[in-house]
Coordinates of all heavy atoms in Angstrom, one line a residue:
M1 N -0.4 222.1 66.0 CA -0.4 222.5 67.5 C -0.8 221.3 68.3 O -1.7 220.5 68.1 CB -1.5 223.6 67.7 CG -1.1 224.9 67.0 SD 0.2 225.7 67.8 CE -0.7 226.5 69.1
S2 N -0.1 221.1 69.4 CA -0.4 220.1 70.3 C -0.7 220.6 71.7 O -0.3 221.8 72.0 CB 0.8 219.1 70.5 OG 1.8 219.7 71.2
D3 N -1.4 219.8 72.5 CA -1.8 220.3 73.8 C -1.0 219.6 74.9 O -1.4 219.4 76.0 CB -3.2 220.0 74.1 CG -4.1 220.9 73.1 OD1 -3.8 222.1 73.1 OD2 -5.1 220.5 72.6
D4 N 0.2 219.2 74.5 CA 1.1 218.5 75.5 C 1.3 219.4 76.7 O 1.6 220.6 76.5 CB 2.5 218.1 74.9 CG 2.3 217.0 73.9 OD1 1.2 216.3 73.9 OD2 3.2 216.8 73.1
P5 N 1.2 218.8 77.9 CA 1.5 219.6 79.1 C 3.0 220.1 79.1 O 3.9 219.3 78.6 CB 1.2 218.7 80.3 CG 1.3 217.3 79.7 CD 0.9 217.5 78.2
I6 N 3.2 221.2 79.6 CA 4.6 221.7 79.7 C 5.3 221.1 80.9 O 4.7 221.0 82.0 CB 4.6 223.3 79.8 CG1 4.0 223.9 78.6 CG2 6.0 223.8 80.1 CD1 3.7 225.4 78.8
R7 N 6.5 220.5 80.6 CA 7.3 220.0 81.7 C 8.6 220.8 81.8 O 9.4 220.8 80.9 CB 7.6 218.5 81.5 CG 8.3 217.9 82.6 CD 8.3 216.4 82.5 NE 7.0 215.8 82.5 CZ 6.7 214.7 83.1 NH1 7.6 214.0 83.8 NH2 5.4 214.2 83.1
L8 N 8.7 221.4 83.0 CA 9.9 222.2 83.1 C 11.1 221.3 83.4 O 11.0 220.3 84.1 CB 9.7 223.2 84.3 CG 8.5 224.1 84.2 CD1 8.4 225.0 85.4 CD2 8.8 225.1 82.9
P9 N 12.2 221.7 82.8 CA 13.5 220.9 83.1 C 13.8 220.9 84.5 O 13.8 221.9 85.3 CB 14.5 221.6 82.2 CG 14.0 223.0 82.0 CD 12.5 222.9 82.0
G10 N 14.2 219.7 85.0 CA 14.7 219.6 86.4 C 13.6 219.4 87.4 O 13.8 219.2 88.6
E11 N 12.3 219.4 86.9 CA 11.2 219.3 87.8 C 10.9 217.8 88.0 O 10.8 217.1 87.1 CB 10.0 220.0 87.3 CG 8.9 220.1 88.3 CD 7.7 220.9 87.6 OE1 7.5 220.8 86.5 OE2 7.1 221.7 88.4
A12 N 10.8 217.4 89.3 CA 10.5 216.0 89.5 C 9.1 215.7 89.1 O 8.2 216.5 89.1 CB 10.7 215.7 91.0
P13 N 8.8 214.4 88.8 CA 7.4 214.0 88.4 C 6.6 214.2 89.7 O 7.0 213.9 90.8 CB 7.6 212.5 88.1 CG 9.0 212.3 87.9 CD 9.8 213.3 88.6
T14 N 5.4 214.7 89.4 CA 4.5 215.0 90.5 C 3.4 213.9 90.6 O 3.0 213.4 89.6 CB 3.9 216.4 90.4 OG1 3.3 216.4 89.1 CG2 4.9 217.5 90.5
A15 N 3.0 213.7 91.9 CA 1.9 212.7 92.1 C 0.6 213.4 91.7 O 0.5 214.6 91.8 CB 1.9 212.3 93.5
P16 N -0.3 212.6 91.3 CA -1.7 213.2 91.1 C -2.2 213.9 92.3 O -1.9 213.5 93.4 CB -2.5 211.9 90.8 CG -1.6 210.9 90.4 CD -0.3 211.1 91.1
A17 N -3.0 214.9 92.1 CA -3.5 215.7 93.2 C -4.3 214.9 94.1 O -5.0 214.1 93.8 CB -4.4 216.9 92.6
G18 N -4.0 215.1 95.4 CA -4.8 214.4 96.4 C -4.1 213.2 96.9 O -4.4 212.6 97.9
I19 N -3.1 212.7 96.2 CA -2.3 211.5 96.6 C -1.2 211.9 97.5 O -0.4 212.8 97.3 CB -1.7 210.8 95.4 CG1 -2.8 210.5 94.4 CG2 -0.9 209.6 95.8 CD1 -3.8 209.4 94.8
Y20 N -1.2 211.2 98.6 CA -0.2 211.5 99.7 C 1.2 211.1 99.1 O 1.3 210.1 98.4 CB -0.4 210.7 100.9 CG 0.6 210.8 102.0 CD1 0.6 212.0 102.8 CD2 1.5 209.8 102.3 CE1 1.6 212.1 103.8 CE2 2.4 209.9 103.3 CZ 2.5 211.1 104.0 OH 3.4 211.2 105.0
E21 N 2.1 212.0 99.4 CA 3.5 211.7 98.9 C 4.1 210.6 99.7 O 4.2 210.7 100.9 CB 4.4 212.9 99.0 CG 4.0 214.0 97.9 CD 5.1 215.0 97.8 OE1 6.1 214.9 98.4 OE2 4.9 216.0 97.0
H22 N 4.5 209.6 99.0 CA 5.1 208.4 99.8 C 6.4 208.0 99.1 O 6.5 207.9 97.9 CB 4.1 207.2 99.8 CG 3.4 207.0 98.5 ND1 4.0 206.3 97.5 CD2 2.2 207.3 98.1 CE1 3.2 206.3 96.5 NE2 2.0 206.9 96.8
W23 N 7.4 207.7 99.9 CA 8.7 207.4 99.4 C 9.0 206.0 99.9 O 8.4 205.4 100.8 CB 9.7 208.4 100.0 CG 9.4 209.8 99.7 CD1 8.7 210.7 100.5 CD2 9.6 210.5 98.5 NE1 8.5 211.9 99.9 CE2 9.0 211.8 98.6 CE3 10.2 210.2 97.3 CZ2 9.1 212.7 97.6 CZ3 10.2 211.1 96.3 CH2 9.6 212.4 96.4
C24 N 10.0 205.4 99.2 CA 10.4 204.1 99.5 C 10.8 204.0 100.9 O 11.5 204.8 101.5 CB 11.6 203.7 98.6 SG 12.2 202.0 99.0
E25 N 10.2 202.9 101.6 CA 10.5 202.7 103.1 C 11.7 201.8 103.4 O 12.0 201.6 104.5 CB 9.3 202.0 103.7 CG 8.0 202.9 103.6 CD 6.8 202.3 104.2 OE1 7.0 201.4 105.1 OE2 5.7 202.8 103.9
H26 N 12.4 201.4 102.3 CA 13.6 200.7 102.5 C 14.7 201.6 103.2 O 14.8 202.7 102.8 CB 14.2 200.2 101.2 CG 15.3 199.2 101.4 ND1 15.2 197.9 101.6 CD2 16.7 199.5 101.4 CE1 16.3 197.3 101.7 NE2 17.3 198.2 101.5
P27 N 15.3 201.1 104.3 CA 16.2 201.9 105.1 C 17.3 202.5 104.2 O 18.0 201.8 103.4 CB 16.8 200.9 106.1 CG 15.8 199.9 106.3 CD 15.1 199.7 104.9
G28 N 17.5 203.8 104.2 CA 18.5 204.4 103.4 C 18.2 204.8 102.0 O 18.9 205.4 101.3
C29 N 17.0 204.3 101.6 CA 16.6 204.7 100.3 C 15.7 205.9 100.2 O 14.9 206.1 101.1 CB 15.8 203.4 99.6 SG 15.2 203.7 98.0
S30 N 15.9 206.7 99.3 CA 15.1 208.0 99.2 C 14.4 208.1 97.9 O 14.1 209.2 97.4 CB 16.0 209.1 99.5 OG 17.1 209.2 98.5
K31 N 14.1 207.0 97.2 CA 13.4 207.1 95.9 C 11.9 207.1 96.2 O 11.4 206.8 97.3 CB 13.8 205.9 95.1 CG 15.3 205.9 94.6 CD 15.5 204.7 93.8 CE 17.0 204.7 93.3 NZ 17.3 203.5 92.5
W32 N 11.2 207.5 95.1 CA 9.8 207.5 95.1 C 9.2 206.1 95.3 O 9.7 205.1 94.6 CB 9.2 208.1 93.8 CG 7.8 208.0 93.6 CD1 7.1 207.2 92.8 CD2 6.8 208.8 94.3 NE1 5.7 207.4 92.9 CE2 5.6 208.4 93.8 CE3 6.9 209.8 95.3 CZ2 4.4 209.0 94.3 CZ3 5.7 210.3 95.8 CH2 4.5 210.0 95.3
G33 N 8.3 205.9 96.2 CA 7.7 204.6 96.4 C 6.5 204.4 95.5 O 5.4 204.6 96.0
G34 N 6.8 203.9 94.4 CA 5.7 203.7 93.4 C 4.9 202.4 93.6 O 3.9 202.3 93.0
W35 N 5.4 201.6 94.5 CA 4.7 200.3 94.7 C 4.2 200.2 96.0 O 4.9 200.3 97.0 CB 5.8 199.1 94.4 CG 6.3 199.1 93.0 CD1 7.2 200.0 92.5 CD2 5.8 198.3 92.0 NE1 7.3 199.7 91.1 CE2 6.5 198.6 90.8 CE3 4.9 197.2 91.9 CZ2 6.4 198.0 89.5 CZ3 4.7 196.6 90.7 CH2 5.5 197.0 89.5
G36 N 2.9 200.1 96.2 CA 2.3 200.1 97.5 C 1.9 198.7 97.9 O 1.3 197.9 97.1
Y37 N 2.2 198.3 99.1 CA 1.8 197.0 99.6 C 1.0 197.2 100.9 O 1.4 197.8 101.9 CB 3.0 196.2 99.9 CG 3.8 195.8 98.6 CD1 4.7 196.6 98.2 CD2 3.5 194.6 98.0 CE1 5.4 196.4 97.0 CE2 4.2 194.3 96.8 CZ 5.1 195.2 96.3 OH 5.8 194.9 95.1
S38 N -0.2 196.6 100.8 CA -1.1 196.7 101.9 C -1.5 195.3 102.4 O -1.9 194.5 101.6 CB -2.3 197.6 101.5 OG -3.2 197.8 102.7
I39 N -1.4 195.1 103.7 CA -1.7 193.7 104.2 C -3.2 193.5 104.1 O -3.6 192.4 103.8 CB -1.3 193.7 105.7 CG1 0.3 193.8 105.8 CG2 -1.7 192.4 106.3 CD1 0.8 194.2 107.1
N40 N -4.0 194.5 104.4 CA -5.4 194.4 104.2 C -5.9 195.8 103.9 O -5.2 196.9 104.0 CB -6.1 193.7 105.3 CG -6.0 194.4 106.6 OD1 -6.2 195.6 106.7 ND2 -5.5 193.7 107.6
K41 N -7.2 196.0 103.7 CA -7.7 197.3 103.3 C -7.8 198.3 104.5 O -8.1 199.4 104.3 CB -9.2 197.1 102.7 CG -9.2 196.4 101.4 CD -10.6 196.2 100.9 CE -10.6 195.5 99.6 NZ -12.0 195.3 99.1
H42 N -7.6 197.7 105.7 CA -7.7 198.6 106.9 C -6.4 199.1 107.4 O -6.4 199.9 108.3 CB -8.4 197.8 108.0 CG -9.7 197.1 107.5 ND1 -10.9 197.9 107.2 CD2 -10.1 195.9 107.3 CE1 -11.8 197.1 106.8 NE2 -11.4 195.9 106.8
T43 N -5.3 198.7 106.8 CA -4.0 199.2 107.3 C -3.4 200.1 106.2 O -3.7 200.0 105.0 CB -3.0 198.1 107.5 OG1 -2.9 197.3 106.3 CG2 -3.6 197.2 108.6
Q44 N -2.6 201.0 106.7 CA -1.9 201.9 105.8 C -0.9 201.1 104.9 O -0.2 200.2 105.4 CB -1.0 202.9 106.6 CG -1.9 203.9 107.3 CD -2.4 205.0 106.4 OE1 -1.8 205.3 105.4 NE2 -3.6 205.5 106.7
P45 N -0.9 201.3 103.6 CA 0.0 200.6 102.7 C 1.5 201.0 103.0 O 1.7 202.1 103.5 CB -0.4 201.0 101.3 CG -1.1 202.3 101.5 CD -1.7 202.3 102.9
H46 N 2.3 200.1 102.7 CA 3.8 200.4 102.8 C 4.2 200.6 101.3 O 3.8 199.9 100.4 CB 4.5 199.2 103.4 CG 4.2 199.0 104.9 ND1 4.8 199.6 105.9 CD2 3.2 198.2 105.4 CE1 4.2 199.3 107.0 NE2 3.3 198.4 106.8
W47 N 5.1 201.6 101.2 CA 5.5 201.9 99.8 C 7.0 201.6 99.6 O 7.8 201.9 100.4 CB 5.2 203.4 99.6 CG 3.8 203.7 99.7 CD1 3.1 204.2 100.8 CD2 2.8 203.6 98.7 NE1 1.8 204.3 100.5 CE2 1.6 204.0 99.2 CE3 2.8 203.2 97.3 CZ2 0.4 204.0 98.4 CZ3 1.7 203.2 96.6 CH2 0.5 203.6 97.1
Y48 N 7.2 201.1 98.4 CA 8.6 200.8 98.0 C 8.9 201.2 96.6 O 7.9 201.2 95.7 CB 8.9 199.3 98.2 CG 8.8 198.9 99.6 CD1 7.6 198.3 100.1 CD2 9.9 199.1 100.5 CE1 7.5 197.9 101.4 CE2 9.7 198.7 101.9 CZ 8.6 198.1 102.3 OH 8.4 197.8 103.6
C49 N 10.1 201.5 96.3 CA 10.5 201.8 94.9 C 10.6 200.5 94.1 O 10.5 199.4 94.6 CB 11.8 202.6 94.8 SG 13.2 201.7 95.3
W50 N 10.9 200.6 92.8 CA 11.0 199.4 92.0 C 12.0 198.5 92.5 O 11.8 197.3 92.5 CB 11.3 199.9 90.6 CG 11.7 198.8 89.6 CD1 12.9 198.4 89.3 CD2 10.8 198.0 88.9 NE1 12.8 197.4 88.4 CE2 11.5 197.1 88.1 CE3 9.3 197.9 88.8 CZ2 10.9 196.1 87.3 CZ3 8.8 197.0 87.9 CH2 9.6 196.1 87.2
E51 N 13.2 199.0 92.9 CA 14.3 198.2 93.3 C 14.0 197.4 94.6 O 14.4 196.3 94.8 CB 15.5 199.0 93.6 CG 16.2 199.5 92.3 CD 17.5 200.4 92.7 OE1 18.2 200.0 93.6 OE2 17.6 201.5 92.2
H52 N 13.2 198.0 95.5 CA 13.0 197.4 96.8 C 11.5 196.9 97.0 O 11.1 196.6 98.1 CB 13.3 198.5 97.9 CG 14.7 198.9 97.9 ND1 15.0 200.2 97.8 CD2 15.8 198.2 98.0 CE1 16.4 200.4 97.8 NE2 16.9 199.1 97.9
R53 N 10.9 196.6 95.8 CA 9.5 196.1 96.0 C 9.5 194.7 96.5 O 8.5 194.3 97.1 CB 8.8 196.2 94.6 CG 9.3 195.3 93.6 CD 8.8 195.7 92.2 NE 9.0 194.7 91.2 CZ 10.2 194.5 90.6 NH1 11.3 195.2 91.0 NH2 10.4 193.5 89.7
D54 N 10.6 194.0 96.5 CA 10.7 192.7 97.1 C 10.4 192.9 98.6 O 10.0 191.9 99.3 CB 12.1 192.1 96.9 CG 12.2 191.5 95.5 OD1 11.1 191.4 94.8 OD2 13.3 191.1 95.1
D55 N 10.8 194.0 99.2 CA 10.6 194.2 100.6 C 9.1 194.1 100.9 O 8.6 193.5 101.9 CB 11.1 195.6 101.0 CG 12.6 195.6 101.2 OD1 13.2 194.7 100.6 OD2 13.1 196.5 101.8
G56 N 8.3 194.7 99.9 CA 6.9 194.6 100.1 C 6.3 193.3 99.9 O 5.4 192.8 100.6
E57 N 6.9 192.5 99.0 CA 6.4 191.2 98.7 C 6.6 190.3 100.0 O 5.8 189.5 100.4 CB 7.2 190.6 97.5 CG 6.9 191.3 96.2 CD 5.6 191.0 95.6 OE1 4.9 190.2 96.2 OE2 5.2 191.6 94.6
A58 N 7.8 190.5 100.6 CA 8.2 189.7 101.7 C 7.2 190.1 102.9 O 6.8 189.3 103.7 CB 9.6 190.0 102.2
L59 N 6.9 191.4 102.9 CA 6.0 191.9 104.0 C 4.6 191.2 103.9 O 4.0 190.7 104.8 CB 5.8 193.4 103.8 CG 5.1 194.1 104.9 CD1 6.1 194.3 106.0 CD2 4.7 195.5 104.4
L60 N 4.1 191.1 102.6 CA 2.8 190.4 102.4 C 2.8 188.9 102.6 O 2.0 188.4 103.3 CB 2.4 190.7 101.0 CG 2.0 192.1 100.6 CD1 1.3 192.2 99.2 CD2 1.2 192.8 101.6
S61 N 3.9 188.3 102.1 CA 4.0 186.8 102.3 C 4.0 186.4 103.8 O 3.6 185.4 104.1 CB 5.2 186.3 101.5 OG 6.4 186.8 102.1
G62 N 4.7 187.3 104.6 CA 4.8 187.0 106.0 C 3.4 187.0 106.7 O 3.2 186.4 107.7
F63 N 2.4 187.7 106.1 CA 1.1 187.8 106.7 C 0.1 186.8 106.1 O -0.9 186.6 106.6 CB 0.6 189.2 106.6 CG 1.2 190.1 107.7 CD1 2.4 190.8 107.4 CD2 0.6 190.2 108.9 CE1 3.0 191.6 108.3 CE2 1.2 191.1 109.8 CZ 2.4 191.7 109.6
T64 N 0.4 186.4 104.9 CA -0.6 185.5 104.2 C -0.4 184.0 104.5 O -1.2 183.2 104.2 CB -0.6 185.7 102.7 OG1 0.8 185.5 102.3 CG2 -1.0 187.1 102.3
R65 N 0.7 183.7 105.2 CA 1.0 182.3 105.5 C 0.4 181.8 106.8 O 0.7 180.8 107.2 CB 2.6 182.1 105.6 CG 3.1 181.5 104.2 CD 4.5 181.2 104.4 NE 5.3 181.8 103.2 CZ 6.5 182.4 103.4 NH1 7.0 182.5 104.6 NH2 7.1 182.9 102.4
Q66 N -0.3 182.7 107.4 CA -0.8 182.3 108.7 C -2.0 181.3 108.6 O -2.7 181.3 107.6 CB -1.4 183.5 109.5 CG -0.2 184.4 109.9 CD -0.7 185.7 110.5 OE1 -1.9 185.9 110.7 NE2 0.1 186.6 110.8
Ligands
ZN101 ZN1 13.9 201.8 97.5

């Protein structure tokens, strides 16, 4: 007997409870934004999917070069 959680077919992966649902911010992309980029601790992070995480890297590099 195993205690594996039941995963219903067709059900999307769910975020941990209490985590705000965030999707990739790349224009036209509707994937889950699993990669968060925050300029500093006081600003809201920007979220991007695996494919568009370079957008986040560019976002950060633009602010760290000052
Ligand atoms: Zn994306």
